[in-house]
Amino acid sequence: MGIVNVTPDSFSDGGKYNSPELAFLHAKQLIDEGADILDIGGESTRPGAEEVSLETELERVIPLIHRLAPLDVPLSIDTSKPEVMYAAVKAGASFINDVYALHRPGALDAAVESGANICIMHMLGEPRTMQLNPHYENVTSEVMQFLQGRINALESAGCEPSRIVLDPGFGFGKNLTHNLTLLRNIGKITALGYPLLAGLSRKSMLGTLTGHKSPGARVYASIAAALISVQNGVHIVRVHDVAATRDALKIWEAVIKDNGQ
Ligand code: 8Y7
């Protein structure tokens, strides 16, 4: 899943792709690099980010989805607003990625009624304050309990299980130890019975572990994190660096492929 930010303040590539034409060219480049899905977001969810209005978010993402829809690559809408979910699916998106796990009023019903696939992600708190002092007794089991609760809510609202994807939410209300524990144990989350999505690309934990590198210098660390995720059972990796990630995963695929020996 290639990341297409149409925001002026995303932490990693913020500002680079905020004109409509540049966002479109960036999306096309990620398709050329081999992205299987594009995740289009018009609201930054980085720690400390301010919220954007409905009008601004719609203006950023809907024209882009209209332009990308004919290219036949599945499109994901990264939003927590029910109006944006509805408009994005109408414009051609087939996947809803809500870091608030459909907690906003009306979001659960909008997502279920849209017919799209749905990624529900774990977050402790909210982006403005989530990194202040996150605390867990057992991060993996608490994340799993949260995700099971949202699965139950979705299925009670009429969502087919085959539409659901789960995400532990790296960096969303988690310190470095929490993130590493989750990554080490991510295979356990597959026991819930749904495909997993993981987003580690260029995240601050990778900067911390490699000597406080800036987001653009976290590419090699991001490849390692994506590879570890997939080796541990993750189905979809949300990444900035599609070509590099694909090459790494091709090597993994060649090694695990049964060659009869
Ligand atoms: C994630 C995400 C972000 C993630 C899912 C960033 C929108 C921050 N991270 N969605 N979104 N999972 N599902 O660093 O980890 O890209 S925004």
Side-chain angles (χ1 to χ4, degrees), residues 47-60:
E50 294 299 323
E51 296 187 4
V52 303
S53 73
L54 173 61
E55 292 68 30
T56 305
E57 199 178 331
L58 287 170
E59 273 167 28
R60 286 176 181 173

Side-chain angles (χ1 to χ4, degrees), residues 3 11 45 78 97 99 119 121 167 170 172 197 199 203 238:
I3 301 171
F11 85 99
T45 35
D78 158 16
N97 177 29
V99 300
C119 178
M121 195 197 79
D167 185 339
F170 288 103
F172 285 86
L197 188 156
K203 282 193 175 168
R238 182 180 178 276

Side-chain angles (χ1 to χ4, degrees), residues 211-247:
H212 301 281
K213 289 197 163 79
S214 66
R218 297 173 192 163
V219 179
Y220 311 126
S222 301
I223 304 311
L227 185 56
I228 294 167
S229 305
V230 173
Q231 282 184 318
N232 285 292
V234 166
H235 301 74
I236 303 171
V237 281
R238 182 180 178 276
V239 304
H240 300 86
D241 305 288
V242 172
T245 309
R246 278 213 83 107
D247 275 3

Side-chain angles (χ1 to χ4, degrees), residues 105-242:
L108 188 84
D109 289 336
V112 174
E113 279 162 28
S114 75
N117 297 312
I118 299 168
C119 178
I120 46 177
M121 195 197 79
H122 174 271
M123 169 162 56
L124 184 69
E126 51 168 292
R128 217 166 35 78
T129 53
M130 66 190 176
Q131 290 306 99
L132 293 181
N133 190 19
H135 174 79
Y136 301 85
E137 295 297 328
N138 181 323
V139 66
T140 309
S141 63
E142 285 168 52
V143 165
M144 286 176 71
Q145 277 167 31
F146 170 93
L147 292 172
Q148 185 63 58
R150 298 316 284 158
I151 292 165
N152 297 346
L154 273 169
E155 294 185 1
S156 306
C159 184
E160 298 82 7
S162 61
R163 292 168 52 197
I164 301 174
V165 174
L166 306 178
D167 185 339
F170 288 103
F172 285 86
K174 286 137 193 134
N175 64 26
L176 178 60
T177 305
H178 299 141
N179 286 319
L180 289 173
T181 304
L182 268 177
L183 184 53
R184 192 178 305 118
N185 291 298
I186 198 162
K188 291 184 184 166
I189 306 177
T190 58
L192 294 175
Y194 298 82
L196 301 187
L197 188 156
L200 286 146
S201 186
R202 301 189 185 183
K203 282 193 175 168
S204 99
M205 63 179 278
L206 305 181
T208 305
L209 292 169
T210 53
H212 301 281
K213 289 197 163 79
S214 66
R218 297 173 192 163
V219 179
Y220 311 126
S222 301
I223 304 311
L227 185 56
I228 294 167
S229 305
V230 173
Q231 282 184 318
N232 285 292
V234 166
H235 301 74
I236 303 171
V237 281
R238 182 180 178 276
V239 304
H240 300 86
D241 305 288
V242 172

